[in-house]
Amino acid sequence: MKAKISPLSWTNFALLQSNFQFVPPEGKPRRKKINPAEYFKAYMIDVDFDIQDLSEDEFQVFTKISINNDEVPEAGYKISVEGTGVFRIDPNIELPDTHRANLKNYSAVNLLINRLRTHILQTTGMSVFGPYDLPPIDITDLFAQKASL
């Protein structure tokens, strides 16, 4: 199949902040093998985002992802990343307002989360428990939570 290029383009990305900390398991070392996936399942994941118009066709998305940043974190990794992206929707392409809104909101936020997901994977890749892969995020639910605030 031939891929059709989206009218949404990414013009700039910046990683604003990145914190990573290894949290050792409590107690004496165990003889049986540790399964990091068991720790990873317990992590609280917090995602926040904001969208700001820069012009009629350009907008900026800010996203912050915090993983296992509770007061008493689970063993394994404590991660916080923030990034921003500038996006543009081609004004020469005629789009229904709902399609334009979906590109601006869901698509752009999802793209930025995926860019930060890659950063998290690379940052944790050489650590004690191996790479942490941020699980799939329900973008629709994030927007519903944001709307209820």
Side-chain angles (χ1 to χ4, degrees), residues 21 28 31 36 52 55 67 69 100 103 116 123 146:
Q21 179 182 351
K28 61 182 182 178
R31 291 190 184 259
Q52 297 179 350
S55 69
I67 303 161
N69 271 311
R100 189 173 293 278
L103 287 173
L116 294 174
T123 300
K146 186 92 167 164

Side-chain angles (χ1 to χ4, degrees), residues 15-138:
L15 182 66
L16 303 174
Q17 179 265 119
S18 177
N19 290 308
F20 166 74
Q21 179 182 351
F22 176 71
V23 180
E26 288 185 8
K28 61 182 182 178
R30 297 187 272 173
R31 291 190 184 259
K32 75 178 203 180
K33 188 174 179 181
I34 292 175
N35 181 1
E38 292 302 315
Y39 291 112
F40 295 168
K41 284 181 195 175
Y43 290 174
M44 172 68 88
I45 300 169
D46 183 58
V47 178
D48 195 10
F49 62 91
D50 189 45
I51 302 168
Q52 297 179 350
D53 290 327
L54 300 176
S55 69
E56 192 173 321
D57 303 316
E58 277 194 334
F59 58 97
Q60 184 171 14
V61 177
F62 166 82
T63 301
K64 178 180 180 179
I65 301 173
S66 295
I67 303 161
N68 197 30
N69 271 311
D70 302 329
E71 225 175 276
V72 180
E74 298 288 331
Y77 303 147
K78 186 174 177 179
I79 303 164
S80 177
V81 294
E82 295 178 15
T84 187
V86 176
F87 296 87
R88 182 173 187 274
I89 298 175
D90 189 337
N92 300 317
I93 296 177
E94 207 170 305
L95 297 170
D97 289 342
T98 55
H99 189 172
R100 189 173 293 278
N102 280 339
L103 287 173
K104 183 176 181 179
N105 294 304
Y106 298 103
S107 295
V109 170
N110 205 16
L111 283 168
L112 191 51
I113 288 172
N114 284 330
R115 178 71 65 100
L116 294 174
R117 173 183 277 116
T118 301
H119 174 74
I120 292 166
L121 195 63
Q122 291 172 337
T123 300
T124 59
M126 294 175 58
S127 193
V128 178
F129 283 175
Y132 174 78
D133 195 1
L134 182 69
I137 304 292
D138 184 337

